[in-house]
Amino acid sequence: MFKTILLAASADHACDNAAKSAFRLADLTNAHITVFHVLGMPAHGFSQEVIDVKTGEKVEASEEYISWVKEEIKIYYAKQFEKTKSFDIKIAVGMPYREILREIKNGRYDIVTLGGTSKEKISVYKKHMLGSTVLRVAKASPIPVMVLCRPSSSFLKNISSILFCADFSKESDAAFNFAANLAKFFNCNLDIFNVADISPVFSKNIIEQDEIDSQISAAYKKIEEKYIPHTKNIIKTVANVCEGIPYVEIVKYAREKNSSLIVIAHHNKENENFGSNMEQIIVRSASPVISINK
Amino acid sequence: MYSGKLCSKEPVKTKEQLQALLKDTRGKTYYKEMQNLEVDTDLLWKTIQTTLNSRIKTWLEICSRCGICAESCFLYLANDKDPTQIPSYKIQSTLGEIIKRKGDVDNAFMQTAMETTWGKCTCCNRCAMYCPNGIDTGVMFSYLRGLLYQQGFVPLEMKIGAGMHRIYYAQMDITDEDFIDTFEWIVEEYEKDYQGLKVPVDVKNADIMYTVNAREVKYYPEDLAYAAILFNLAQENWTVTSKGWEETSLAMFAGDWEACKIQVKHVYEAMERLKPKRMIGTECGHAHRATVIEGPYWMGRKDGKPPVESIHYVEWVAEALRTGKLKINPEKRIKTPVTIQDSCNYVRNGGLKDITREIISYIVEPGYFVEMEPCGENNFCCGGGGGFNGIGIYRNHRNKGLTVKRDQIIKTGAKLVLAPCHNCWDAIRDLEEEFKIGIKWSFLKPLLIDMVEIPESMKPAS
Ligand code: SF4
Ligand code: SF4
């Protein structure tokens, strides 16, 4: 399913959960793993001084420093590397989200994993920009983006079900195909879940229950027509629709079902704003979230 | 005559030489070699005899040492009124002395001159406005840079920068393919947000040919996307050129006169090839100075103008807002105390003060804009001009210099500083990092992107 996995990580605890899920995925799919670390923004001109994103300190991005960072990464992930089929370590200089996207563009990766939104340090370089590395990568990445911020997950033990969050958009259709393929590959259940959004941001007025009910039955119908016909080779597919605030319901549902992975489409509308559904799910979920935008 | 492997009189000629210089952390080897560099005094004197114009000669002669220029120099003020920071002292003790001695100076003299030239003057030209004799010390230091460069006494980063222009026709190692590829890639990322967004490459006879700063390609490609979005929103008939896309010139900062010509010639050739109605350069001050103001003279153009009408980005923004090509959503205007950093290169030396104030009248809610004091053509240098920002060995000099801008900003009470110039933007970023005064800073493009109305036809498909 995956031949090459890109793990964008800084070899510190903020990325531990993401790293664990990346290595687990590599293990399950016998994939090559590339650990990618971005040193930070260079000072003006050609002075090789960069702000290390991990320590926030000014360092000289000399060849020696870069080999030292590589060595650090090797030591930090030594145990995981032992079990991995093959790996390599790459270092770049620049704005992290931009360099991750550049690496995705230039490399042949099937999935990228990231972590650490909640703990990200806001350095002076990031202050002038809104949004986190994760959201920016998720918005623009042409390949699936897997994020895990919180510890523990059934994904790390056994893979029993994939939760696909449907919203019937074009992006969501791509996310469905990906989720269905995962369920087939892992030979596990697929949960198709949709939330009739009644959060105050999206609904200007109080919504009548009749309207909610009709939204719910329309959603079931769409799932039936759009997705169910493509689930023949999956052990068990369950569809569920409810009303509520999407991120709350999704996180709750994933917890109840002990979902191993959540697959969700990334939307233009989500934009880079903090507080979007995507970010909320990422920050709260104990299962890795895979975002798809194409 | 001694010639170091890294530090020599020879300009960079190959990629390998560039790589070797880049690898030399903090210029350890480079500056060590500089200790042994011999001054070719004959060459120095011959060059002066053939290139020193009568204006500079007269200036040096008529300076009455009155010291009126002292207070006009931000570096004099930042350094507790150190008399060795008085503009006239700085230039008389370097260029003046070299001429007096008919070029007969030694290594130690040249190293001190190098420090004064790149570490004590940003060529901001402010002192010229206050000298009763109209003496422009900044212009003289630009000339001195050329003499020092020729002898190999130039800070490492300037040597690299000039070398980049010689090899890549850009201030960084970005090839033409990298440029187009990055522009197309980043625009593709925004296609979903703005329908019909595209980057037209090498279109002949377009209304606008857009040129950039290579740093945008390397580190801030978002800026390219923003430029594309704004041109598309304004429904401009625009293009980028696949060759000659770099507007900046670190060669000018380095004093590499030959590379200055090589670079600007390349851009002018693109203008001749694509024949656009106008060339618009990005939000960069020195790029405008190099390509639009000085370039025609380097190229010996009789009319003193580039091959096609060339304007700074702020001029286009003002025009687009004035004519309604770009419309600001009034609710999204800036409602936070805001000030602007006037670039020396296009405000003091390019006269665009009123243009930026016009932009402010459209994008800032009345009552929120605060002028710096002084401002406009009298504004102080950001603190990082003339290459100062990038030179490692003079970093402390630069940081000290930033204090004048820091205090000016604090006095305005502004929380946001508009900085439509790469050098200013970097200097203000660095001063925030150094002194943490709690401000934000921005180019115009990202602010405009958040404020402009998007026509229905460009809104994302739902
Ligand atoms: S103000 Fe003019 S004349 Fe007076 S010292 Fe300065 S440069 Fe010389
Ligand atoms: S050009 Fe600017 S930095 Fe240089 S001496 Fe004059 S005022 Fe000072």
Side-chain angles (χ1 to χ4, degrees), chain A residues 44 48 63 97 102 139, chain B residues 22-23 193 218 222 426:
Chain A
H44 191 65
Q48 293 151 318
E63 275 183 5
Y97 83 91
R102 213 189 290 265
K139 179 175 185 278
Chain B
L22 281 166
K23 274 189 190 157
D193 302 318
K218 188 123 180 163
E222 243 72 17
D426 277 326

Side-chain angles (χ1 to χ4, degrees), chain A residues 1 9 22 24 26 42 52 55 70 87 102 110 115 122 129 140 170 182 199 207 226 248 251 279:
Chain A
M1 176 101 197
R24 167 81 169 139
D52 192 288
T55 60
K70 281 189 177 175
F87 71 91
R102 213 189 290 265
D110 300 303
I122 303 293
M129 315 174 80
K170 208 168 81 219
L182 277 180
S199 50
I207 311 173
K226 253 188 147 167
V248 176
V251 172
E279 169 131 20

Side-chain angles (χ1 to χ4, degrees), chain A:
Chain A
M1 176 101 197
F2 303 116
K3 284 197 184 77
T4 316
I5 297 169
L6 179 66
L7 165 61
S10 52
D12 70 5
H13 296 307
C15 296
D16 278 357
N17 301 309
K20 272 185 201 155
S21 56
F23 282 107
R24 167 81 169 139
L25 198 61
D27 195 24
L28 289 166
T29 57
N30 200 26
H32 174 91
I33 202 157
T34 298
V35 180
F36 185 65
H37 175 68
V38 185
L39 288 177
M41 277 305 289
H44 191 65
F46 303 95
S47 47
Q48 293 151 318
E49 205 175 61
V50 298
I51 307 290
D52 192 288
V53 280
K54 188 173 144 191
T55 60
E57 279 166 18
K58 277 187 190 161
V59 291
E60 201 71 43
S62 59
E63 275 183 5
E64 298 88 69
Y65 178 76
I66 289 173
S67 3
W68 176 80
V69 173
K70 281 189 177 175
E71 209 40 49
E72 280 274 285
I73 292 174
K74 238 187 230 167
I75 296 167
Y76 195 86
Y77 297 124
K79 267 196 190 147
Q80 286 97 325
F81 282 144
E82 250 172 50
K83 289 192 219 137
T84 309
K85 183 184 95 174
S86 58
F87 71 91
D88 67 330
I89 300 167
K90 287 188 175 176
I91 310 284
V93 169
M95 199 80 84
Y97 83 91
R98 180 50 53 207
E99 294 315 309
I100 294 167
L101 286 170
R102 213 189 290 265
E103 182 60 24
I104 293 172
K105 171 175 152 272
N106 296 336
R108 289 210 187 124
Y109 302 102
D110 300 303
I111 189 165
V112 53
T113 62
L114 304 156
T117 35
S118 49
K119 291 180 187 172
E120 229 178 349
K121 284 190 204 94
I122 303 293
S123 78
V124 74
Y125 296 103
K126 287 181 197 148
K127 248 171 56 179
H128 71 284
M129 315 174 80
L130 279 176
S132 67
T133 304
V134 168
L135 288 183
R136 283 174 168 263
V137 173
K139 179 175 185 278
S141 170
I143 60 171
V145 179
M146 180 160 88
V147 190
L148 179 60
C149 291
R150 303 190 55 206
S152 104
S153 118
S154 73
F155 177 68
L156 300 174
K157 294 173 201 128
N158 64 20
I159 298 185
S160 52
S161 67
I162 308 288
L163 169 58
F164 161 59
C165 308
D167 64 23
F168 313 114
S169 61
K170 208 168 81 219
E171 293 87 354
S172 182
D173 292 349
F176 168 77
N177 290 337
F178 182 78
N181 284 340
L182 277 180
K184 282 176 210 162
F185 180 83
F186 290 123
N187 206 17
C188 69
N189 297 345
L190 177 67
D191 280 306
I192 303 179
F193 186 52
N194 170 266
V195 183
D197 190 354
I198 58 161
S199 50
V201 190
F202 295 100
S203 55
K204 291 186 186 75
N205 310 307
I206 291 174
I207 311 173
E208 297 293 334
Q209 191 56 37
D210 283 354
E211 200 188 324
I212 295 173
D213 289 347
S214 76
Q215 266 188 41
I216 292 177
S217 36
Y220 271 119
K221 203 165 161 240
K222 274 191 200 156
I223 293 176
E224 199 57 46
E225 288 168 7
K226 253 188 147 167
Y227 302 134
I228 299 297
H230 306 287
T231 57
K232 283 193 189 102
N233 300 326
I234 296 169
I235 323 180
K236 189 177 161 198
T237 304
V238 177
N240 247 304
V241 182
C242 74
E243 72 267 44
I245 300 169
Y247 73 83
V248 176
E249 297 306 318
I250 290 170
V251 172
K252 243 162 65 184
Y253 190 81
R255 192 169 53 223
E256 275 161 26
K257 297 276 173 175
N258 204 12
S259 306
S260 313
L261 280 168
I262 300 175
V263 178
I264 187 166
H266 185 282
H267 277 253
N268 281 357
K269 282 182 231 131
E270 300 261 6
N271 225 324
E272 297 108 11
N273 296 335
F274 281 99
S276 66
N277 266 315
M278 174 69 84
E279 169 131 20
Q280 291 302 318
I281 296 165
I282 287 169
V283 170
R284 290 157 198 265
S285 166
S287 318
V289 178
I290 300 184
S291 143
I292 309 271
N293 80 33
K294 284 194 184 158

Side-chain angles (χ1 to χ4, degrees), chain B residues 268-283:
Chain B
Y268 289 179
E269 278 167 1
M271 294 181 187
E272 313 261 11
R273 185 168 49 87
L274 295 184
K275 300 201 179 346
K277 287 209 182 78
R278 293 192 293 183
M279 187 280 282
I280 297 178
T282 187
E283 294 176 68

